[in-house]
Amino acid sequence: YPRSRCSGTPVARLYRPHVIPMTESSDPTTDVQPTTIAEKRDRVEKITEQLEDGEVSLERAKQLHEEGQELIAAVDCTGHGVPGAFLSILGQNLLNKIVKEYGILKPSEILNNLNKEIVNALHQHGSGGEKVVNDGMDLALINYDRKNNILQYAGAYNSLYLVRNGELFETKANRFPIGRTTSEEEKLFTNHELKVKNGDIAYIFSDGYADQFGGAHGKKFKSKYLKKFLQEIYSYSMEEQKKALEKNLDEWKGDYQQVDDIILIGRKF
């Protein structure tokens, strides 16, 4: 986790990183001050050292699998280049720490703890000395209880789509991110619980697909057309859906540059 480790699980993932040329905006030495790259590296290393060793982590993974718990996350971190990479490593390590070490499986509680951990790990400060975090992430997180067919979800900006018999139902996320806040600002994420049926498909994603420019007029693809397209390809196998989404993206993008990282994960039940 956050990726599924269950063999044979009907999960398809579309991922396309946004690769940008080395410019001033992507210079790895250009970072939000006063937190420096070296300081971020030291904190990531410290948190990594605090994680359980590999043998214990593997044992926890086996335990979750036996309990029928499956966690999947689609995460979109701020930043490019080295700063963005550090935040991605930090986020993944913290998610594993919260699940494996703290034993927290409820999505809203995972996000609540992740937000606190990110704020404490980065501890940047504003002009008045207050603790401010300028970096962060948007994400959608699901926990599927295979024994009871219960899907729990919590999100920071990124919604959950559930398609059932060709009809799409959206569960909206909280309208605030992980991080990008002051330490005085309290965030409590909402936990959503859905009963899933055989044949349902859940989709979690970043905003990269919907925000991609293209078409005849160079406009964004937009979420309403993504919803429509997911309904159109609902009956396809997961691998066929992945290929259809990639083909549609390429045709829409045309000669336009990719503007952001794109991740879209589909889980069929």
Side-chain angles (χ1 to χ4, degrees):
Y1 10 92
R3 302 189 208 102
S4 169
R5 297 182 183 271
C6 307
S7 61
T9 299
V11 176
R13 184 183 75 153
L14 185 157
Y15 174 64
R16 288 195 183 179
H18 175 217
V19 180
I20 59 175
M22 185 62 74
T23 63
E24 182 178 356
S25 63
S26 59
D27 190 331
T29 62
T30 303
D31 192 23
V32 180
Q33 296 298 325
T35 301
T36 65
I37 290 293
E39 289 172 337
K40 282 187 175 181
R41 180 194 62 218
D42 292 342
R43 285 168 201 155
V44 169
E45 290 177 351
K46 182 178 180 181
I47 290 171
T48 302
E49 291 171 358
Q50 293 173 346
L51 295 175
E52 300 170 304
D53 60 54
E55 184 177 347
V56 175
S57 297
L58 179 60
E59 189 62 33
R60 179 60 174 152
K62 290 179 179 177
Q63 181 184 353
L64 285 176
H65 177 61
E66 290 171 358
E67 292 174 354
Q69 302 286 328
E70 179 183 320
L71 288 96
I72 307 175
V75 187
D76 186 13
C77 296
T78 59
H80 294 286
V82 175
F86 274 136
L87 190 59
S88 297
I89 295 170
L90 179 63
Q92 179 171 332
N93 286 342
L94 288 174
L95 278 170
N96 280 300
K97 178 182 179 181
I98 292 165
V99 172
K100 296 175 183 176
E101 185 176 327
Y102 298 167
I104 298 173
L105 299 177
K106 188 176 181 179
S108 60
E109 292 301 316
I110 293 174
L111 297 197
N112 289 338
N113 279 271
L114 178 61
N115 185 65
K116 293 176 183 177
E117 294 277 2
I118 288 289
V119 171
N120 290 333
L122 298 182
H123 59 76
Q124 300 158 334
H125 293 83
S127 58
E130 72 279 11
K131 187 182 289 187
V132 176
V133 174
N134 297 300
D135 300 312
M137 56 191 73
D138 302 336
L139 67 89
L141 173 66
I142 59 174
N143 179 354
Y144 176 48
D145 179 349
R146 295 194 303 275
K147 293 183 178 180
N148 298 301
N149 288 326
I150 297 294
L151 183 70
Q152 294 186 69
Y153 154 80
Y157 277 126
N158 294 344
S159 297
L160 163 73
Y161 294 164
L162 182 75
V163 179
R164 173 176 295 165
N165 298 323
E167 186 175 359
L168 187 146
F169 303 90
E170 178 179 4
T171 303
K172 295 188 176 181
N174 289 103
R175 301 301 297 170
F176 44 76
I178 298 292
R180 301 206 300 273
T181 184
T182 65
S183 59
E184 290 76 20
E185 182 182 351
E186 184 178 10
K187 298 177 182 177
L188 291 176
F189 289 91
T190 305
N191 203 70
H192 302 270
E193 189 172 296
L194 301 86
K195 184 75 172 179
V196 293
K197 298 180 179 180
N198 186 41
D200 289 353
I201 305 178
Y203 299 94
I204 54 177
F205 42 83
S206 68
D207 59 1
Y209 201 109
D211 284 352
Q212 177 60 49
F213 288 97
H217 304 290
K219 296 184 177 181
K220 290 184 178 181
F221 187 71
K222 296 185 179 180
S223 59
K224 68 178 181 179
Y225 293 112
L226 176 58
K227 293 177 185 178
K228 182 179 179 181
F229 190 70
L230 291 175
Q231 289 176 278
E232 290 175 357
I233 64 174
Y234 159 75
S235 60
Y236 295 7
S237 71
M238 299 308 290
E239 184 59 32
E240 289 173 338
Q241 287 192 39
K242 179 182 177 181
K243 292 177 180 178
L245 284 160
E246 290 177 330
K247 181 181 178 183
N248 182 70
L249 178 64
D250 287 335
E251 292 177 349
W252 174 261
K253 184 166 67 72
D255 295 330
Y256 288 89
Q257 295 295 315
Q258 184 173 327
V259 297
D260 199 1
D261 292 335
I262 297 172
I263 183 167
L264 193 157
I265 303 172
R267 173 48 163 111
K268 187 171 185 177
F269 304 104

